[in-house]
Amino acid sequence: MTGLPVADRGTVRRAVGRLLRRDRRTVVLLLVLHAAAAIARLAPPWLLGVIIDRVAAGAGVATVDRLALAIVGAVVAQALLSRYAQYAGHRFGERAVAQLREEFVRSTLRLPVSVVERVGAGDLATRSSVDVSTVGSTVRDVVPTIVICTVQLALLFGAIFLLHPLLGLAALVGLPSIGVVTRWYLRRASPAYLAEGAAAADLTEALTATADGARTVEALRLADDRIAHGTTRIDRLWQARRATLALRTVFFTAVEASYPLPVAAVLLVGGYLLHTGTVALGAVVAATLYLQQAIEPLDRLLQWTEQAQRGFASYARVLGVGLVPPEPPGGAFPPGGGRLVVRGARFSYADGPDVLHGIDLDVAPGERLAVVGPSGAGKSTLARLLAGIDAPRRGSVSVGGCFVTDLDPAERRRRIALVTQEHHVFIGSLRDNLAFAAPDASDERMRAALATVGADWSAALPDGLDTLLGDGARQLGAAEAQQLALARLVLADPHTLILDEATAALDPTTARRTERALAAVLAGRTVIAIAHRLNTAHDADRVAVLEGGRITEIGSHHDLLRAGGAYAALWRSWHAEPRDTASGDTDRPHTVGRTGADR
């Protein structure tokens, strides 16, 4: 399975630049406030050095008191400036995170359906949750901290140079070793954290697939296999995290060992300069205190640099979603074109073998075609090609003389609707869930759509169309969710319907009632039904039998029965299966989706 792309370092840097330029006034304000706070922080050590020199020169208590009050004032000013700077920084961070989430949602919604299905839920879920959250904390906490610490360190070392250039040079003794180990770490950290993110996505995918298929796992006794599969993914994630932990262990150990070096160097050089009378004692004390102050921002800077690497890697994964080319705009739907034509269509998933082999098919406007065949024959794959979700590897699928995949995606989805067994209920009201199909639909039209598909349960909802659905609210069963999806279909009013087991989650009685209710909606439209219940094939204009990725038979129900081929065998097998007589599902075929006396 090929995952979503990951942005390169240049793309991430440009994205960070755009993020800062959007709110440049706040960025400038933050720099000014943090610089002012850092300058205020320089005052106490310098004033303490002045006190030492004044006392040594014979100054009295009054002088010391005035200087002490000045120290208190500097501390208060630094606290207030830092507090306001942090407040402004968090507001900036929250705005940036909100913009980031909105951009991510837009990029996700632009993804072609085929890409989303190919990469699986794990990769996208990890990027939308863990990675977006990591980037959010980086923008909100890490970046401001790095800015603050950088400003503080620049001013602290600058102050030491002002006290005496030789003291300043001595203060830089520890920086070469810190620079070397930091460079070593940064070269290795980004790939390591990207690998950790990919391993986390694989684990999420494995857990999601196991949870979604829990009943199948239980029925086929695959629990041990799925546990082994998940354990392998956990081990890979553990190894990836151990790799990043090893990098941090070397990095922080080397950095911590470098901290005492500049302090010792300043004391040695300061002692020599003091002995020669080049500097006063207060200057040496102030320089030493500045170095002690520098340890805290330097430590925070290096620690948050490690967090920034996580954020950088996560941002690269988040931005990677936007690197997937969207579906091309395409052309308009053919004005009078409704004829679906498939010629020599071959299709394979990824680099696997073909699952469709030279499909040829013509579906006239208004025709009802049932596609039947054993499991794995390629029925759902054919439905995806007809809907334009995937393009054939060879051959063509066209409607009205235009290739389906060359049509404008929005117009194509509006005119050709694919309804599968998988339906999603979004968190929101029933009205919100229906409005996805027709944003301008009135309440009356929505209620009519629900009535059309037999969703009687909607009339009993306490708040009607305003009833909240989804997690923490009214939960819909599988049958109700499927009826909701069919009601969306009614509201969308497409030209061509492709029903891929669209009523499979309904019990036989409800399915028959829903199919009969849909008859009026289906009138005059092209309907291609991937049939599991062969009564659907019985009522179709034509039946196509798909076996091993090939159409082996095509014709009316009665013609195929007389031919005595694969369809006749399927029909006899279907009739031989026991039915749920308690629900009213008998062996006798019944008319579904018909209108008019001849149906």
Side-chain angles (χ1 to χ4, degrees), residues 311-484:
F312 193 95
S314 292
Y315 202 9
R317 287 169 52 78
V318 170
L319 292 173
V321 176
L323 298 180
V324 177
E327 294 182 271
F333 199 89
R339 189 177 191 88
L340 273 170
V341 178
V342 184
R343 289 287 179 266
R346 292 179 174 271
F347 182 80
S348 63
Y349 290 98
D351 297 326
D354 283 351
V355 294
L356 294 179
H357 308 275
I359 298 294
D360 290 312
L361 186 64
D362 287 306
V363 185
E367 182 181 7
R368 288 180 173 82
L369 174 72
V371 180
V372 302
S375 297
K379 301 187 298 296
S380 295
T381 301
L382 177 59
R384 292 168 60 86
L385 262 61
L386 294 173
I389 294 176
D390 291 315
R393 185 175 62 82
R394 289 185 182 176
S396 63
V397 179
S398 61
V399 57
C402 298
F403 293 139
V404 172
T405 51
D406 288 345
L407 298 173
D408 181 74
E411 183 68 11
R412 182 182 67 232
R413 285 189 284 267
R414 192 178 73 82
R415 297 297 190 100
I416 304 176
L418 172 64
V419 182
T420 68
Q421 303 175 45
E422 300 177 0
H423 310 299
H424 186 73
V425 179
F426 295 91
I427 297 176
S429 67
L430 176 58
R431 178 185 289 104
D432 294 336
N433 273 270
L434 292 171
F436 283 111
D440 299 329
S442 63
D443 289 359
E444 291 73 17
R445 188 180 166 198
M446 289 183 178
R447 294 190 185 96
L450 291 167
T452 298
V453 299
D456 302 331
W457 50 268
S458 62
L461 294 176
D463 298 319
L465 293 174
D466 293 320
T467 302
L468 295 179
L469 306 177
D471 293 340
R474 172 71 154 77
Q475 295 284 345
L476 296 185
E480 293 172 331
Q482 201 158 37
Q483 287 176 322
L484 175 59

Side-chain angles (χ1 to χ4, degrees), residues 92-158:
F92 164 75
E94 291 298 335
R95 288 194 298 271
V97 170
Q99 293 171 355
L100 172 68
R101 291 184 184 276
E102 291 171 359
E103 289 177 356
F104 181 81
V105 170
R106 284 194 292 268
S107 298
T108 302
L109 293 177
R110 285 196 298 266
L111 289 175
V113 176
S114 57
V115 173
V116 175
E117 295 183 351
R118 186 186 73 245
V119 301
D123 194 3
L124 194 57
T126 302
R127 296 188 191 217
S128 64
S129 55
V130 176
D131 289 322
V132 171
S133 178
T134 301
V135 176
S137 63
T138 300
V139 174
R140 185 174 52 249
D141 302 320
V142 178
V143 173
T145 300
I146 290 177
V147 171
I148 294 169
C149 294
T150 302
V151 172
Q152 288 176 344
L153 288 172
L155 291 174
L156 284 169
F157 281 99

Side-chain angles (χ1 to χ4, degrees), residues 256-591:
E256 292 288 343
S258 301
Y259 285 162
L261 297 179
V263 176
V266 164
L267 289 176
L268 288 173
V269 173
Y272 171 77
L273 295 176
L274 184 62
H275 175 72
T276 59
T278 307
V279 297
L281 177 61
V284 177
V285 172
T288 305
L289 292 176
Y290 283 146
L291 283 176
Q292 288 298 118
Q293 279 191 352
I295 291 177
E296 188 265 338
L298 182 59
D299 203 34
R300 289 174 62 201
L301 176 64
L302 296 174
Q303 287 180 0
W304 285 108
T305 297
E306 186 270 331
Q307 292 295 325
Q309 291 304 302
R310 287 180 179 272
F312 193 95
S314 292
Y315 202 9
R317 287 169 52 78
V318 170
L319 292 173
V321 176
L323 298 180
V324 177
E327 294 182 271
F333 199 89
R339 189 177 191 88
L340 273 170
V341 178
V342 184
R343 289 287 179 266
R346 292 179 174 271
F347 182 80
S348 63
Y349 290 98
D351 297 326
D354 283 351
V355 294
L356 294 179
H357 308 275
I359 298 294
D360 290 312
L361 186 64
D362 287 306
V363 185
E367 182 181 7
R368 288 180 173 82
L369 174 72
V371 180
V372 302
S375 297
K379 301 187 298 296
S380 295
T381 301
L382 177 59
R384 292 168 60 86
L385 262 61
L386 294 173
I389 294 176
D390 291 315
R393 185 175 62 82
R394 289 185 182 176
S396 63
V397 179
S398 61
V399 57
C402 298
F403 293 139
V404 172
T405 51
D406 288 345
L407 298 173
D408 181 74
E411 183 68 11
R412 182 182 67 232
R413 285 189 284 267
R414 192 178 73 82
R415 297 297 190 100
I416 304 176
L418 172 64
V419 182
T420 68
Q421 303 175 45
E422 300 177 0
H423 310 299
H424 186 73
V425 179
F426 295 91
I427 297 176
S429 67
L430 176 58
R431 178 185 289 104
D432 294 336
N433 273 270
L434 292 171
F436 283 111
D440 299 329
S442 63
D443 289 359
E444 291 73 17
R445 188 180 166 198
M446 289 183 178
R447 294 190 185 96
L450 291 167
T452 298
V453 299
D456 302 331
W457 50 268
S458 62
L461 294 176
D463 298 319
L465 293 174
D466 293 320
T467 302
L468 295 179
L469 306 177
D471 293 340
R474 172 71 154 77
Q475 295 284 345
L476 296 185
E480 293 172 331
Q482 201 158 37
Q483 287 176 322
L484 175 59
L486 293 174
R488 291 191 190 116
L489 180 66
V490 174
L491 291 170
D493 192 24
H495 176 277
T496 300
L497 299 175
I498 303 172
L499 307 178
D500 187 3
E501 308 286 11
T503 59
L506 308 180
D507 62 82
T509 302
T510 305
R512 287 198 300 272
R513 186 171 67 248
T514 301
E515 288 167 348
R516 291 190 182 107
L518 279 170
V521 180
L522 303 181
R525 291 181 171 81
T526 304
V527 180
I528 301 171
I530 307 300
H532 175 69
R533 297 184 177 100
L534 290 191
N535 59 275
T536 303
H538 174 275
D539 297 327
D541 298 319
R542 285 193 303 160
V543 181
V545 181
L546 198 62
E547 294 181 293
R550 294 179 173 86
I551 294 179
T552 57
E553 291 183 311
I554 188 166
S556 70
H557 165 75
H558 296 292
D559 290 342
L560 294 182
L561 282 184
R562 284 193 295 270
Y567 178 75
L570 285 172
W571 181 263
R572 289 193 298 269
S573 174
W574 182 69
H575 271 259
E577 292 177 356
R579 303 303 169 83
D580 185 0
T581 55
S583 64
D585 190 12
T586 65
D587 288 345
R588 183 179 179 180
H590 50 272
T591 301

